[in-house]
Amino acid sequence: MACPLLKLLVLAGILVLQVISTCKATLIAGDKDEQRLSEVTWAVTYDPPNLKMHMNTVENVSVRIEGINAADLDDIRMVQLKSDREHVAWVENGTIVLSTDLSKTASYNGTFGIVGNFLGQTNIFVELVRKNGTTERISSSNFPVIVIRKERVIDHVFTGSVILLMSILYINFGAALDVGALKQIARRPIGPVIGFLCQFIFMPLVSYGLGHLLFPDNYELQLGLFFTGVSPAGGASNIWTVALGGNLTLSIAMTTISTLAAFGMMPLWIFTLGRRIFERANLGVPYSRFAYTALGLVVPISAGLIIQRYCPRFARLLVRILKPMSVILILFIVIFAIVTNLYLFELFSWQIIVAGLGLPLLGYCFGFLASHLMRLPLADSLAISVETGIQNTGIAIFLLRFALEQPAADLTTVMPVSNAIMTPLPLMLLLIGLRIHARTKQRTEGSLIPKNDINPSVEAT
C-alpha cells in the first residue's frame, strides 16, 4: 500500500512543479511581450495640432505616424484611434490599417473624421491592441479636442440681461445697507458670527466634499457645485425667513454681511481650495476675470451707498423694491438659463439632483443645529438656517459664465441651476407642515373653549 501512495505523491509533486513552471513561463512571456510593446517609439502628429469644434459637426483631422518597423507589428493585432470621453467626441472608422510587409522603417498617413457629440473636452489617442487581447496606449499620441456650442443671439441677450440685473440688484444692496444696524449687531454678534461660519466655512467645505463624492471624475460639475457653495446668501432668504416666522432683521443683516464678506471670502476659497479643482480639470485659474467680476460688483454697491447718502428718498424706493427685485433676478436667471440652454437637462442625472438638493438641505440642518446649540431663540435659529442653506445662485452663474471659457462655462452652470430648482423644496414642505400644524392646533384649542366663552360679549350683555 505504501508504494502506490508514494507514486501518487510523486505524481502530485510533478504536476505541481509543472503548473508552477507553466505559470512562470507565462509570466515571463507576458513580461517580454510588455517589454517588447513598451519599446514601440512611434511619433504621432496631427494636423491641426488641436481642435475646437461645435456640437453635432464633423471635422477632418490628418494623422501621421513615423518610426514604424516590422518588429513592432509582431505582437500587434490592431491599431486604432480612440477618445477618452466618447460622449464628448468620437472617431469615425478609427481603425488604422498598417502594412505588414515592411523591410525598413516606414510611416503612415491618414485622415479621420472627428464627430463632436456634446459639450466638453477629450483627448484622441492611438491605441495598440495586442494579439493576446490586451491594449496599450501610445502616451505621446494625445490630440486635444474641445466641443462647444454655436454662439446665438439669445446667448448675448441673456449675458447682457444678467449683467444689467446684477448691477441693479447691487445698487439696491448699497442703498439698503444700514450702517447703524450693523454697529448694533456688532455689539452682540452671536447670530451673524454663527451665520458667517456656517456660510463661509461649512458650506464651501461641504460643497467641495460633496462634489468629490458624487462627481469623482467630472471636474466641471465639481467646480459648479463648489462655486455654488462659496456664493453668499441669496435675496430669497429674507422672503423665506418671513414666511417661516424667522427674525427678519437678523436675516437682512446676515444677507448684507455675507454679501460684503463675499468680496473677500469667495476669492479666498476659489484661489485656494478651488484651485485644486482647476488643476485637476486642466483649467487655468482666471485670476484677471475674477478680479474684473469682483470690481464689477463693487462699483454698483458703491453707487448704492452714494445714493443713500445724497438721495435718501430714491434710496428708500430702492430698498422697497429690493425683495421683489431679488426674486425677479433669481427667477429670471434660472428660467432664462433653462429656456436658452435646454441642453442642461441632458446633463441632469441622479447625482446632479442629489447634489442640488443635498447642499441646501445640509445647510439648513447645520445652520439650525449650530444656532440651537448656542441657545438662540427659535426665530433667530430659523433665520440662520435659511441664510445658510440658500445660496445666491445668480452670483454663481454670473461668475461661472463670465470667468470661464467655453465649454467649461456651460458645463459648470448646470449645478447652480439644479441648486436653484431644488433649494425651495425643503422650505416649501416645512412651510406646509407648519401651516397644517398651526391649523390643527387652532382647531384643537377652539374645541376646548366652553360654549359660553366663545363670545364673552354676548354674556356680558
Side-chain angles (χ1 to χ4, degrees), residues 80-367:
Q80 56 188 357
L81 279 179
K82 294 195 69 176
S83 172
D84 276 333
R85 305 169 72 184
E86 294 199 347
H87 71 280
V88 175
W90 52 281
V91 184
E92 284 184 325
N93 301 321
T95 302
I96 298 175
V97 180
L98 298 177
S99 174
T100 57
D101 186 16
L102 296 177
S103 58
K104 59 181 181 178
T105 302
S107 61
Y108 167 84
N109 290 284
T111 301
F112 296 87
I114 309 297
V115 181
N117 189 43
F118 199 69
L119 298 173
Q121 302 181 53
T122 186
N123 283 314
I124 306 297
F125 60 92
V126 176
E127 182 182 71
L128 309 178
V129 182
R130 304 177 189 177
K131 291 181 179 179
N132 62 7
T134 59
T135 61
E136 183 171 323
R137 173 174 177 168
I138 303 246
S139 59
S140 60
S141 64
N142 285 347
F143 173 63
V145 177
I146 297 176
V147 181
I148 61 175
R149 289 185 305 117
K150 290 184 178 179
E151 286 289 335
R152 302 167 299 174
V153 175
I154 194 171
D155 295 323
H156 297 290
V157 173
F158 175 66
T159 301
S161 302
V162 171
I163 293 175
L164 178 62
L165 288 175
M166 287 295 295
S167 300
I168 295 175
L169 178 64
Y170 271 76
I171 291 174
N172 290 1
F173 273 130
L177 184 61
D178 190 343
V179 179
L182 292 178
K183 290 180 179 179
Q184 292 181 357
I185 292 176
R187 296 173 184 171
R188 194 174 181 272
I190 298 177
V193 168
I194 295 174
F196 180 88
L197 295 176
C198 293
Q199 179 67 51
F200 290 110
I201 303 297
F202 176 77
M203 294 300 283
L205 293 176
V206 166
S207 63
Y208 184 84
L210 200 61
H212 277 270
L213 178 65
L214 295 175
F215 315 109
D217 300 320
N218 195 322
Y219 302 117
E220 290 88 357
L221 294 182
Q222 288 184 25
L223 201 60
L225 185 61
F226 183 69
F227 269 65
T228 305
V230 300
S231 298
S237 59
N238 305 138
I239 300 171
W240 279 108
T241 298
V242 173
L244 295 172
N247 187 336
L248 178 60
T249 303
L250 177 60
S251 177
I252 293 175
M254 289 178 62
T255 300
T256 304
I257 293 171
S258 65
T259 301
L260 294 176
F263 291 109
M265 296 303 297
M266 290 183 70
L268 176 64
W269 281 113
I270 291 170
F271 297 149
T272 53
L273 196 58
R275 187 173 61 182
R276 297 175 60 86
I277 306 178
F278 276 100
E279 291 173 351
R280 286 193 295 267
N282 293 321
L283 296 171
V285 184
Y287 296 101
S288 59
R289 290 197 177 196
F290 281 127
Y292 295 147
T293 303
L295 181 62
L297 296 178
V298 169
V299 170
I301 203 170
S302 301
L305 289 170
I306 294 173
I307 292 174
Q308 181 187 154
R309 176 68 176 83
Y310 296 102
C311 302
R313 290 186 179 180
F314 186 49
R316 285 193 292 269
L317 175 62
L318 293 178
V319 172
R320 197 173 303 162
I321 65 173
L322 176 59
K323 290 182 182 178
M325 186 67 193
S326 301
V327 175
I328 291 173
L329 174 66
I330 294 170
L331 292 176
F332 175 82
I333 290 180
V334 173
I335 294 174
F336 207 164
I338 292 173
V339 172
T340 58
N341 304 297
L342 291 175
Y343 71 91
L344 289 174
F345 287 99
E346 296 183 31
L347 294 171
F348 265 55
S349 61
W350 69 266
Q351 293 98 329
I352 290 177
I353 295 174
V354 168
L357 179 62
L359 183 63
L361 187 59
L362 290 172
Y364 298 144
C365 296
F366 186 82

Side-chain angles (χ1 to χ4, degrees), residues 398-413:
F398 178 81
L399 285 173
L400 290 169
R401 289 192 65 87
F402 296 105
L404 301 179
E405 298 285 349
Q406 295 294 354
D410 283 332
L411 291 172
T412 54
T413 304

